[in-house]
Amino acid sequence: ILQNLSQTPVLRELLKEAKMPGTTIKIESPELCMLCCFSFKQEPQLIKLDQPGPLTLAMHQFVTEMQETKKGVVTPKELFAQVCKKAIRFKGYQQQDSHELLRYLLDGMRAEE
C-alpha cells in the first residue's frame, strides 16, 4: 500500500504543496477524466491548505524518502507511529489487512485538513 501511494503523482504533488500552509492548489487529474465519459469535462478542484498535521507530515517524509534514489531501505517508523495514534488497532504489530491501513491512513490525513 505504501509503495503504491508513494508512486501516485497527484498524492506526491499534494504532499509537496502541503508543506506550505495557506496556499491554494489546483488539482486537474487527466486520469480521473479517463474514468468519466469522454464528453464530460471535469472541472479542476481548488483546495486551500491549512497547517499540515503530524500524520500528513509523516506521510510527506515517507514519500520523499521513497523518491530518493540514493536511499537504500526505507523504514516508515514515524508514519507507523502516527497511524497508531489515529488507529490503536495497529499497535502491537499484529497482522492487519492492507485495505484497513489505507483507509485509516487516508481518513486520518483528511481529518487533519
Side-chain angles (χ1 to χ4, degrees):
I1 292 293
L2 293 177
Q3 288 175 333
N4 288 332
L5 288 175
S6 73
Q7 297 303 314
T8 306
V10 173
L11 180 62
R12 285 196 319 252
E13 290 302 314
L14 283 173
L15 289 171
K16 200 182 301 180
E17 295 289 329
K19 294 286 286 180
M20 297 175 277
T23 58
T24 301
I25 58 171
K26 181 177 174 180
I27 300 175
E28 295 182 83
S29 179
E31 295 86 11
L32 292 177
C33 292
M34 293 183 73
L35 296 176
C36 304
C37 297
F38 287 102
S39 62
F40 178 70
K41 171 102 170 83
Q42 184 175 355
E43 294 296 319
Q45 294 181 350
L46 295 176
I47 301 173
K48 185 171 181 351
L49 300 174
D50 293 327
Q51 181 67 32
L55 181 59
T56 304
L57 289 173
M59 184 65 182
H60 176 267
Q61 177 185 352
F62 171 76
V63 168
T64 302
E65 287 179 16
M66 286 291 289
Q67 296 301 309
E68 292 178 6
T69 56
K70 296 177 185 164
K71 192 93 173 162
V73 176
V74 176
T75 306
K77 282 183 182 179
E78 181 59 28
L79 180 58
F80 183 67
Q82 293 302 322
V83 168
C84 287
K85 287 180 182 178
K86 301 276 183 190
I88 57 173
R89 71 181 327 166
F90 290 101
K91 286 185 179 179
Y93 300 99
Q94 295 176 357
Q95 186 172 345
Q96 301 287 338
D97 291 333
S98 58
H99 73 277
E100 290 180 22
L101 172 68
L102 177 62
R103 191 179 105 220
Y104 282 106
L105 177 62
L106 295 179
D107 283 349
M109 287 172 38
R110 184 169 16 128
E112 290 181 346
E113 289 180 357

